[in-house]
Amino acid sequence: MKQLNFIDNKKTKPDYRNWVPVSLLRNFIGGTVITFILFIIFAGTGLVFSGTPRIICGIILGIGDLILLFSSIMLSFMYRTFDYRGKRKLAKTIIEGVAQYVEIPDGGVGLDVGCGSGALTIACAKRNPKAIMVGCDIWSGSYKVEFSKNICQENAKAEDVSNVRFEVGNAVKLPFEDESFDVVTSNYVYHNIMGHNKQKLLLETFRVLKKGGFFVIHDIMKKSNYGNIQKFIEELKKEGYEDIKLIDTTDEMFVRHREAKFLSLAGSTLFIGRK
């Protein structure tokens, strides 16, 4: 009997993961459950302590459990809000909104710093099919389980996008020559890099930008993160940078002010300009 070969034509969907790490969410939920169990054992019964020690233990564990419970609820809400497959799809809204500002000349090359799961890199590549987008990241720390180079490549394949490539690269010291790219972009990266001056991180990014090239940086540019950004802009202008704009993305561009504050995105700004 002739054997029939069935081919599964179902297209693989991209998995851009979530900006709220699943591992972090699980740890908080697990901590809430464990702390509650300890509260029952040490404060809810007289098996271990009694009298004043039992009261003190109950207060400490009770407060701790309430804090963990509140944090778990907040993280769960944020997870659902940013989820690409959820109802709000905030992460997708932001990625596509930033990508709209990225225009690469035909035959040109763009760089996405801190590409994570490749979402912005791929979105920019789709908008600029005659150019190449390079995504770089260190893929380590708290996000190393959620994001990886392999995930980026799989997402590009799922989106049927071939004009991309992904490389290991640290925003603190990018592994690229001066003036290598026509466009540099990044989304919610630099505020997460602790122990480094954010303005210096921007200058390192601009180092690899060609003369006449454009930069599109989206981040939480609060003064506590970036210092005096207006003074920084004036210094860039003295160096020859042009068309520099700061666009508040919490003014109903991507989110509302109240939602941004609730999601810890207050100060989110799109920083664009030309070298």
Side-chain angles (χ1 to χ4, degrees):
M1 182 182 291
K2 187 177 181 180
Q3 189 174 16
L4 297 178
N5 294 320
F6 293 94
I7 300 175
D8 185 3
N9 292 318
K10 186 182 293 184
K11 185 178 180 180
T12 304
K13 293 183 179 180
D15 182 8
Y16 291 119
R17 303 301 173 95
N18 199 296
W19 295 349
V20 178
V22 175
S23 57
L24 180 64
L25 180 58
R26 287 174 178 169
N27 288 340
F28 270 92
I29 294 175
T32 302
V33 174
I34 291 172
T35 305
F36 181 72
I37 293 173
L38 292 175
F39 175 82
I40 296 298
I41 295 173
F42 288 95
T45 69
L47 296 175
V48 181
F49 296 120
S50 62
T52 302
R54 179 180 172 184
I55 295 173
I56 294 174
C57 188
I59 292 173
I60 294 174
L61 288 172
I63 293 174
D65 197 50
L66 287 174
I67 293 173
L68 286 170
L69 177 61
F70 176 77
S71 299
S72 298
I73 292 172
M74 280 294 299
L75 285 172
S76 297
F77 176 79
M78 292 175 69
Y79 186 90
R80 291 195 302 271
T81 301
F82 288 115
D83 191 1
Y84 266 75
R85 292 162 291 188
K87 184 177 180 180
R88 178 66 173 89
K89 295 184 177 69
L90 181 56
K92 182 178 181 180
T93 298
I94 293 173
I95 288 294
E96 293 180 351
V98 174
Q100 288 181 3
Y101 287 85
V102 179
E103 296 184 5
I104 311 172
D106 292 353
V109 184
L111 174 68
D112 178 28
V113 181
C115 62
S117 61
L120 181 57
T121 316
I122 294 169
C124 293
K126 290 172 72 174
R127 287 183 55 83
N128 298 272
K130 295 183 179 180
I132 299 293
M133 273 300 296
V134 178
C136 73
D137 205 311
I138 56 175
W139 293 298
S140 65
S142 60
Y143 288 97
K144 65 182 178 181
V145 176
E146 304 297 322
F147 303 142
S148 69
K149 181 178 179 180
N150 182 63
I151 289 172
C152 291
Q153 293 170 332
E154 289 297 320
N155 284 335
K157 183 179 179 181
E159 294 274 23
D160 197 23
V161 173
S162 60
N163 57 322
V164 292
R165 70 173 188 268
F166 299 96
E167 302 178 13
V168 175
N170 194 326
V172 176
K173 181 61 180 177
L174 294 169
F176 306 108
E177 298 292 330
D178 294 358
E179 300 185 26
S180 300
F181 300 94
D182 297 280
V183 173
V184 291
T185 188
S186 184
N187 183 55
Y188 282 145
V189 173
Y190 303 122
H191 76 277
N192 281 320
I193 304 177
M194 299 294 104
H196 293 276
N197 182 284
K198 305 303 183 286
Q199 294 184 11
K200 289 184 178 180
L201 289 174
L202 288 176
L203 290 176
E204 170 60 13
T205 301
F206 299 160
R207 175 185 65 79
V208 302
L209 182 62
K210 293 180 181 179
K211 295 291 184 183
F214 288 85
F215 62 85
V216 182
I217 310 294
H218 186 230
D219 202 11
I220 302 175
M221 292 187 173
K222 297 185 294 187
K223 189 173 183 179
S224 57
N225 289 337
Y226 278 83
N228 191 333
I229 194 68
Q230 291 295 343
K231 184 178 179 181
F232 179 65
I233 289 174
E234 292 304 316
E235 292 174 353
L236 289 178
K237 288 180 178 179
K238 291 178 182 178
E239 294 295 322
Y241 288 80
E242 302 175 355
D243 304 326
I244 301 176
K245 297 177 184 177
L246 285 175
I247 303 174
D248 181 6
T249 60
T250 69
D251 191 16
E252 298 194 20
M253 181 176 182
F254 299 153
V255 295
R256 301 183 185 89
H257 285 301
R258 184 176 297 179
E259 184 181 25
K261 188 175 182 179
F262 188 71
L263 295 170
S264 300
L265 299 179
S268 292
T269 305
L270 197 60
F271 186 36
I272 60 178
R274 179 162 58 89
K275 190 172 184 179

